[in-house]
Amino acid sequence: MSVAAFAQIIAGHGGARETGRMCRSIKTLRPPVLPGEATDEDIHAAALQYVRKISGFRAPAAHNREAFDKAVQAVARATTELLGELEVRGQSVRRGG
């Protein structure tokens, strides 16, 4: 799948592959788009939304709960790591902690 096709699916314009609208779009979590530093809550919300979109489930069944929660945690960790390593216009975006 191309990056453009993936972006369309995430944005909600994936045609036949679209699994339905989720409650909100994933927002950009880096300055200057997000004023200030992304909070743990911001990161968790984005990770949850991503996993919901990819899995096609708003809330998983009990037998899928552990896998779903692990995926949310992994995406949140990867997001925190990414934001900690980004530099935007010569300034670090590093998160504290």
Side-chain angles (χ1 to χ4, degrees), residues 3-4 10 14 25 30-31 33 44 47 53 55-57 60 68 74 77 93 96:
V3 173
I10 294 299
S25 296
R30 65 158 179 81
V33 178
H44 182 268
K53 177 61 86 172
S55 70
F57 296 113
F68 191 91
R77 279 192 306 271
V93 180

Side-chain angles (χ1 to χ4, degrees), residues 29-31 34-38:
L29 297 180
R30 65 158 179 81
L34 180 71
E37 185 176 285

Side-chain angles (χ1 to χ4, degrees), residues 6-28:
F6 180 73
Q8 285 184 331
I9 290 170
I10 294 299
H13 305 293
R17 295 195 57 150
E18 176 62 32
T19 59
R21 288 260 177 225
M22 293 291 172
C23 59
R24 68 177 184 84
S25 296
I26 299 170
K27 65 181 180 177
T28 301

Side-chain angles (χ1 to χ4, degrees), residues 28-73:
T28 301
L29 297 180
R30 65 158 179 81
V33 178
L34 180 71
E37 185 176 285
T39 65
D40 289 338
E41 183 178 294
D42 293 330
I43 291 170
H44 182 268
L48 178 60
Q49 185 64 14
Y50 177 80
V51 172
R52 284 175 172 170
K53 177 61 86 172
I54 297 305
S55 70
F57 296 113
R58 183 167 183 347
H63 63 276
N64 288 326
R65 171 57 66 187
E66 185 177 352
F68 191 91
D69 290 345
K70 279 183 179 179
V72 171
Q73 291 171 3

